[in-house]
Amino acid sequence: MLHQKQGEEAIVSNYNDTGDHHDGNGGGDDEEHHGDDGSTLNVKSLLWHGGSAYDAWFSCASNQVAQVLLTLPYSFSQLGMLSGVIFQVFYGILGSWTAYLISVLYIEYRSRKEKENYSFKNHVIQWFEVLDGLLGSYWKAIGLAFNCTFLLFGSVIQLIACASNIYYINDHLDKRTWTYIFGACCATTVFIPSFHNYRIWSFLGLGMTTYTAWYMTIAAIVHGQDEGVQHTAPTKMVLYFTGATNILYTFGGHAVTVEIMHAMWKPQKFKYIYLGATLYVFTLTIPSATAVYWAFGDELLTHSNAFSLLPKTRWRDTAVILMLIHQFITFGFACTPLYFVWEKVIGMHDTKSICLRALARLPVVIPIWFLAIIFPFFGPINSAVGALLVSFTVYIIPALAHMLTYRKASARQNAAEKPPFFLRSWTAMYVINTFIVVWVLIVGFGFGGWASMTNFARQVSTFGLFAKCYQCKPQPHVAPAPNHH
């Protein structure tokens, strides 16, 4: 415990002494956080400069429940009610555990570097750098490849979701045209320097999804069950494992965990924040998915976005608008680590000018925009990303990295973070990590990859690439047209 205490004090001391994140890449200097007179406690510091444990909690919770909230009823229609709830709880706990492992590895990397008097001023630590520092360049390459690809497609999903949602308010434009428009809107996230500057956005984002989740729950209950509603799931293995991997994706929002931690004034406080965020997310996802599936049943199999079945009211339109704003925020969450990587590649990461950095970041947005237009498949792409990318990025790589980092007795003895209070045993940690690797490799990547790619290929063959309006219903607008001539 002495080593752990010293490690934590060293990190806190280093943060306060160096003013580590003064330029907006992360926290801020001590004076900026707390202020020595009333003038520093202005609107900018209140809304813009966030590095507390509460800020991190809001960031984690807000980042977990964006557009996935709308696809969980679709997953329930594939899995069935019981399996849907069980998988949510199971993957929520697994996700919280691997987020904890990532936080431990970050603290370990940070403490080792600071013992070497390494300064992180004007530099945001990222997951691939933690892997590089602890396990070498091979692991750095693996972490970089999986993380960047996951975040790329995570951003693509936000654009698809924006177009899908706005269509239910204004269907005068097709979804592809809306994707063009929202691609331009989301490109403005290049001006947000780092996660340190998401304080107000995270707070608002969580409020928006909270409203949407409870609107979905209440609206479904008030609507009641459709006449002749059926709940036949699970019926096919392909659908079952597609739904399971979508839930695996739901609780895999910690591709940005290291960046959120680095934005904290005291990152060692992060340990259990993700678990707390997940417990809150359960109060949103389980009631809403259960209620919508109860009301509409098998009809959800052809409606991956829950908004498409809920009755059009002012309440629904409000939920759509709030989700649109939140998806803009989540787009920024997914893209910001990509911005950091790109800045480091082209040598612009230390630049203090926000406008110059924004200009340098623009090339990151273009391929995301393009991919959203090619593959506008809302639900199926979630499952494919979950199986092929989240399974490794969020579950397998952190568990393996933790086991390899502490494989030697000396590393365990000098660890900056000891096993958690409820385990107190390195052996128990190895058992849990091994279980996660084996389970996710077989069920998540193996069965899930097969199922989600089969389903994804089916969507491509049915709707084609560059689909103009995926899962739209043009009939009400097309049929009356001859009557006007």
Side-chain angles (χ1 to χ4, degrees):
M1 289 301 292
L2 181 61
H3 289 293
Q4 182 178 359
K5 183 74 176 174
Q6 288 172 340
E8 291 181 358
E9 287 174 352
I11 293 168
V12 175
S13 173
N14 195 283
Y15 260 68
N16 292 336
D17 293 344
T18 62
D20 213 356
H21 303 157
H22 187 69
D23 74 328
N25 277 350
D29 60 4
D30 210 35
E31 183 180 311
E32 193 175 40
H33 302 160
H34 306 292
D36 49 10
D37 58 59
S39 64
T40 59
L41 198 65
N42 53 28
V43 175
K44 184 179 177 182
S45 63
L46 180 66
L47 304 183
W48 189 250
H49 294 292
S52 69
Y54 296 105
D55 290 307
W57 184 87
F58 275 111
S59 292
C60 289
S62 177
N63 192 42
Q64 272 193 52
V65 285
Q67 92 298 332
V68 175
L69 191 68
L70 307 176
T71 64
L72 283 173
Y74 167 67
S75 298
F76 272 47
S77 72
Q78 298 168 319
L79 287 164
M81 191 84 76
L82 181 62
S83 289
V85 173
I86 290 172
F87 270 116
Q88 278 204 46
V89 174
F90 178 66
Y91 281 128
I93 293 170
L94 252 59
S96 299
W97 175 257
T98 52
Y100 168 77
L101 297 181
I102 291 172
S103 72
V104 167
L105 293 172
Y106 170 88
I107 296 295
E108 183 67 39
Y109 169 76
R110 180 107 198 200
S111 63
R112 289 185 189 183
K113 284 292 184 183
E114 285 170 351
K115 285 174 185 174
E116 301 169 6
N117 296 319
Y118 192 89
S119 173
F120 291 105
K121 189 174 183 179
N122 299 342
H123 182 91
V124 176
I125 298 173
Q126 293 188 267
W127 177 228
F128 69 90
E129 292 168 319
V130 172
L131 291 173
D132 185 27
L134 297 177
L135 298 171
S137 58
Y138 179 73
W139 278 86
K140 173 186 176 180
I142 293 174
L144 188 60
F146 274 105
N147 229 39
C148 288
T149 311
F150 168 39
L151 291 168
L152 178 77
F153 279 98
S155 305
V156 168
I157 289 168
Q158 300 311 317
L159 280 190
I160 297 170
C162 284
S164 178
N165 290 344
I166 191 65
Y167 184 79
Y168 299 117
I169 290 183
N170 185 337
D171 57 6
H172 295 299
L173 297 176
D174 59 75
K175 290 182 183 178
R176 188 168 67 193
T177 303
W178 280 119
T179 304
Y180 292 137
I181 294 168
F182 278 99
C185 294
C186 289
T188 58
T189 56
V190 296
F191 289 100
I192 302 176
S194 76
F195 287 99
H196 175 56
N197 311 112
Y198 272 95
R199 166 175 277 185
I200 187 63
W201 296 114
S202 297
F203 177 77
L204 290 175
L206 191 58
M208 292 165 186
T209 45
T210 299
Y211 169 90
T212 303
W214 285 108
Y215 153 74
M216 289 168 63
T217 305
I218 295 167
I221 293 170
V222 170
H223 176 273
Q225 287 188 311
D226 275 356
E227 189 177 346
V229 67
Q230 291 184 312
H231 301 86
T232 58
T235 55
K236 298 177 181 177
M237 278 186 66
V238 169
L239 294 178
Y240 189 84
F241 286 106
T242 300
T245 50
N246 187 37
I247 293 178
L248 178 142
Y249 172 83
T250 303
F251 297 97
H254 35 303
V256 295
T257 298
V258 170
E259 288 84 358
I260 291 173
M261 281 189 73
H262 193 77
M264 292 178 69
W265 301 322
K266 296 179 180 179
Q268 76 279 2
K269 287 188 174 183
F270 186 86
K271 296 178 197 173
Y272 307 116
I273 284 176
Y274 198 91
L275 176 61
T278 299
L279 293 176
Y280 179 77
V281 167
F282 283 155
T283 70
L284 306 182
T285 58
I286 294 175
S288 61
T290 302
V292 175
Y293 178 55
W294 168 82
F296 300 103
D298 291 353
E299 198 175 350
L300 284 158
L301 287 168
T302 53
H303 296 80
S304 54
N305 188 329
F307 281 148
S308 63
L309 290 175
L310 291 167
K312 183 174 174 59
T313 62
R314 289 182 181 178
W315 297 102
R316 193 198 73 167
D317 289 352
T318 301
V320 171
I321 292 166
L322 292 179
M323 283 304 289
L324 284 171
I325 299 169
H326 187 231
Q327 278 152 358
F328 165 81
I329 297 167
T330 310
F331 181 92
F333 264 92
C335 255
T336 299
L338 293 176
Y339 295 153
F340 292 156
V341 173
W342 179 245
E343 287 170 2
K344 291 170 185 177
V345 168
I346 63 174
M348 292 285 286
H349 190 57
D350 294 337
T351 305
K352 294 188 177 182
S353 167
I354 290 177
C355 290
L356 273 177
R357 290 178 70 189
L359 193 63
R361 290 171 168 189
L362 276 176
V364 176
V365 180
I366 295 168
I368 293 169
W369 205 351
F370 189 60
L371 285 167
I373 294 163
I374 298 176
F375 304 113
F377 314 122
F378 190 41
I381 200 172
N382 276 9
S383 300
V385 169
L388 304 180
L389 299 173
V390 176
S391 56
F392 282 94
T393 303
V394 169
Y395 299 95
I396 295 173
I397 291 176
L400 283 176
H402 187 273
M403 289 193 287
L404 291 173
T405 298
Y406 298 109
R407 65 190 182 278
K408 295 180 180 177
S410 58
R412 295 193 293 273
Q413 186 177 355
N414 298 314
E417 291 281 343
K418 302 300 182 185
F421 69 92
F422 54 85
L423 283 181
R424 296 290 186 190
S425 164
W426 287 100
T427 304
M429 292 194 76
Y430 269 76
V431 169
I432 293 172
N433 290 344
T434 302
F435 169 77
I436 290 172
V437 171
V438 173
W439 174 274
V440 176
L441 196 60
I442 295 172
V443 178
F445 178 71
F447 287 106
W450 160 74
S452 59
M453 289 311 295
T454 301
N455 189 36
F456 189 77
R458 191 175 296 157
Q459 302 298 322
V460 172
S461 64
T462 303
F463 295 94
L465 300 177
F466 298 97
K468 192 172 184 179
C469 211
Y470 173 66
Q471 288 188 345
C472 295
K473 288 184 177 179
Q475 292 85 354
H477 304 283
V478 175
N483 298 331
H484 297 298
H485 297 289

